[in-house]
Amino acid sequence: MSNSISHANTPFDGYVTVSEDAPSGMLTLRGDLSSKPFVTALKKSVSTDMPASCQIVHDGQMSVGWMSPDELLILTAYDQVAGLEAGLRKSLGKRHFLVADVSDARVSFTLSGDKVREVIAKLAPVDLAPGHFAPGAFRRTRFGQISAAFWLISETEARVICFRSVAEFMFNQLSTAAHLGGEVDLWS
Amino acid sequence: MLILNCPYCGVDAEETELSPGGEAHLKRYGPGSSDADFEDYLFQRENPKGVHFERWRHANGCGKWFHAARCTMTLEVFGTYEAQSLEPPKSIQKAISKKRPGWSWREFS
């Protein structure tokens, strides 16, 4: 694993706080998720339930997000990712699958504050009105012109992930959207 | 603004989340085919005012290719369907016939 460099050592304090998270372990898993034997084998290593389409499920430190009909994103602690990857390779055995450690390829940000929905809505073409996007939903989309995914942890906290190569751009645009004085008060 | 429902993830994705893939249901003829067939495959495209079938990719979402049936004049979307189909599903053809009686597009009508 490489030494990751943080783009934002100090969180940005606007009307929503934007902070870069400590490195977390991320695995990309591709395979036939509609196959029951595949999912059974998967569950030997993954403690959570399988997420439904466009959902994310959590169990302790582990989260599993639905990326596409044949792709999952497994989030875990940074130091446990190698063990989990080995475990997945063992339990999936000779089935057709792909597992890759993408911990260092991506970066995650946490937004916290009462108006996290509003800050995300400024950047992504997603209906974030309360009742339309609930905690537990997982959405891949774009933020400005870069691809990203996000989910709500609670009504006042959200997590955004994107490629590390565009982390600085993401931090800057999230900070701009969260700037004090930029409140729209759309849903308050 | 064009809003298409991705048949793979079910998300109502707007145009900026998608990337266009040109005309749908192009047929590439195999070995032994004529130069004219190859020319058709490479260059000949429909440019209708009205019902049109296109390929789109949910590029900033689930990343899957899919087909969309829409009207180029009103931007009305008749439906979206899987990329693994050689022709528009009957349900979509029926929906188009209801709204645009007498429509035709290549060999479909």
Side-chain angles (χ1 to χ4, degrees):
Chain A
M1 293 202 187
S2 52
N3 295 322
S4 60
I5 297 165
S6 177
H7 293 270
N9 291 315
T10 45
F12 176 84
D13 275 316
Y15 70 96
V16 160
T17 303
V18 183
S19 55
E20 187 182 324
D21 300 334
S24 71
M26 294 187 208
L27 285 178
T28 282
L29 176 91
R30 298 198 82 149
D32 184 3
L33 301 177
S34 59
S35 146
K36 265 192 179 164
F38 187 90
V39 172
T40 312
L42 194 59
K43 280 189 171 167
K44 284 184 194 157
S45 303
V46 178
S47 56
T48 65
D49 292 332
M50 284 298 110
S53 171
C54 298
Q55 297 288 312
I56 185 166
V57 287
H58 311 277
D59 178 46
Q61 276 192 315
M62 191 182 275
S63 302
V64 179
W66 189 92
M67 297 286 271
S68 83
D70 55 0
E71 182 177 343
L72 295 177
L73 176 68
I74 305 170
L75 296 129
T76 183
Y78 194 72
D79 55 358
Q80 285 174 14
V81 77
L84 180 62
E85 186 186 346
L88 276 169
R89 287 191 189 284
K90 202 176 161 202
S91 53
L92 291 171
K94 285 184 177 171
R95 287 172 218 282
H96 182 64
F97 72 98
L98 177 148
V99 85
D101 180 358
V102 292
S103 310
D104 296 322
R106 297 196 182 122
V107 63
S108 78
F109 294 93
T110 298
L111 308 179
S112 50
D114 287 342
K115 293 171 184 162
V116 280
R117 284 177 181 272
E118 187 182 300
V119 169
I120 297 172
K122 281 186 187 180
L123 298 166
V126 178
D127 188 355
L128 276 143
H132 280 255
F133 195 94
F138 180 87
R139 181 74 144 83
R140 290 176 80 183
T141 181
R142 64 175 182 88
F143 274 62
Q145 62 262 54
I146 57 178
S147 293
F150 73 93
W151 63 98
L152 295 176
I153 300 163
S154 69
E155 284 299 322
T156 55
E157 201 175 14
R159 193 149 288 162
V160 179
I161 56 173
C162 69
F163 285 120
R164 188 170 288 277
S165 56
V166 289
E168 193 176 0
F169 181 88
M170 179 61 102
F171 183 77
N172 289 342
Q173 67 172 349
L174 286 171
S175 304
T176 306
H179 222 279
L180 272 175
E183 298 92 331
V184 184
D185 293 330
L186 204 51
W187 297 301
S188 54
Chain B
M1 182 66 73
L2 190 62
I3 296 176
L4 299 174
N5 178 273
C6 171
Y8 293 96
C9 60
V11 160
D12 283 323
E14 58 119 342
E15 210 173 329
T16 60
E17 210 171 287
L18 305 164
S19 60
E23 192 176 315
H25 306 301
L26 292 176
K27 187 173 176 188
R28 182 169 184 175
Y29 293 87
S33 58
S34 68
D35 285 354
D37 284 340
F38 193 60
E39 190 207 353
D40 278 358
Y41 164 73
L42 273 185
F43 303 114
Q44 299 303 318
R45 294 293 181 267
E46 293 291 303
N47 185 20
K49 181 184 180 187
V51 177
H52 195 31
F53 296 87
E54 287 172 327
R55 296 186 336 132
W56 287 86
R57 182 171 171 258
H58 197 184
N60 282 316
C62 66
K64 300 292 178 199
W65 283 98
F66 62 92
H67 285 145
R70 68 176 182 107
C71 176
T72 56
M73 193 164 60
T74 62
L75 290 193
E76 180 178 0
V77 177
F78 302 113
T80 54
Y81 51 101
E82 291 192 340
Q84 291 77 17
S85 40
L86 298 172
E87 59 173 68
K90 288 279 175 282
S91 58
I92 287 179
Q93 294 197 36
K94 250 186 202 165
I96 300 172
S97 296
K98 215 173 177 185
K99 288 171 173 164
R100 303 280 190 281
W103 68 280
S104 75
W105 187 88
R106 288 197 185 253
E107 70 266 37
F108 310 121
S109 60

